[in-house]
Amino acid sequence: AGLAHVGPHQYVLAWPSMESGSVPPEGGVAVAFARQIAAAADPAKERAALEAKFRSAMDPLLAGDALSVHEVIWPSETRPMLIQWLHTQLPLLPALRGPVTFPYRP
């Protein structure tokens, strides 16, 4: 859903602690693999293994590439990066003034 709100001058940053996806691994595994977990000899171990498998796929660098994240930065770098981005956007603001030129979405 986040990618539906980007424009031509987007600049997407993320932290290494970023968690991507529409459902947390715990909830997704519980729903998608309920039968497999229930049928396992050790359901808790099976669930933990599945959660670990999906959590390992949530690497911020891999997910960032798929989600058009431009840079993965440390939280302490956030303010300077945002200030830098704002300086690139200031010259664009005059063109954005005026009446709205698109209709409301239903």
Side-chain angles (χ1 to χ4, degrees), residues 14-20 60 72-75:
W15 292 345
S17 60
M18 170 181 90
E19 289 189 7
S20 61
V72 177
I73 63 170
W74 293 109

Side-chain angles (χ1 to χ4, degrees), residues 23 25-37 50 54:
V23 177
E26 300 82 8
V29 164
V31 172
F33 296 95
R35 289 186 185 140
Q36 180 178 334
I37 293 169
L50 288 166
F54 286 99

Side-chain angles (χ1 to χ4, degrees), residues 77-88:
E77 297 173 320
T78 303
R79 184 181 305 258
M81 294 295 286
L82 288 176
I83 290 170
Q84 178 183 342
W85 177 80
L86 283 171
H87 285 296
T88 67

